[in-house]
Amino acid sequence: FMNQEIDKFNKKYNENINHVNCPIVFNRRHNNRGYYRFIKLGYTPMEFGFSLYVLENDEECKIKNTILHELAHMISNEIYQDNCQHDTRWQGICEKLEMEDTSARYKRTLEETLRDYRYKIYCPCSEKPLAVYHRMNKNTLEKFKRHAYRCKHCGNNHLILVDDKENK
């Protein structure tokens, strides 16, 4: 798809943009739909990255726009030999690519955000969790095992750590 769009762009605007020949990586990030990285010396494409989470949960038109958004970064950097970021030069490339939306941010609903919290901390004095975490590093887990944390309501240091992913 990316190379087809480059071919259309080259033909329509008489440019000579090279095809994408850098790695395309996928991650589980939730806030950005995608990114484009380049090597500053010569503005050589280094990699494109896309969120698998977004690809699995987003509409097809938004996925297409995400790919075009990142492609616009590559094209603008190659044409202007500069890091155009989201300036007017980059926006001009977006118009030429006929993008509907130039945003690469993924706006999550509250339900989506809460569903991804994995670790919940409980105290016997309350039914609601005292804290929720997406992930915990080894040091934090060790502190819970040593009872280094206390409930701010009752002072109890025997808190309960629940891993929701194991319970589902």
Side-chain angles (χ1 to χ4, degrees), residues 1 5 10 16 34-35 37 41 43-44 48 52 56 60 65 67 79 117-118 126-127 134 138 146 152-154:
F1 174 75
E5 291 297 316
N10 285 339
N16 192 23
Y35 64 86
R37 290 195 180 124
L41 185 62
Y43 295 94
T44 308
F48 286 93
L52 283 174
E56 291 166 353
E60 190 175 326
N65 269 340
I67 295 168
I79 290 174
Y117 283 119
R118 180 171 178 165
S126 174
E127 291 180 17
H134 284 289
K138 211 160 130 182
R146 291 192 325 262
K152 61 184 174 185
H153 302 290
C154 68

Side-chain angles (χ1 to χ4, degrees), residues 37-51:
R37 290 195 180 124
F38 58 92
I39 301 168
K40 285 218 185 231
L41 185 62
Y43 295 94
T44 308
M46 189 168 84
E47 76 179 16
F48 286 93
F50 297 99
S51 168

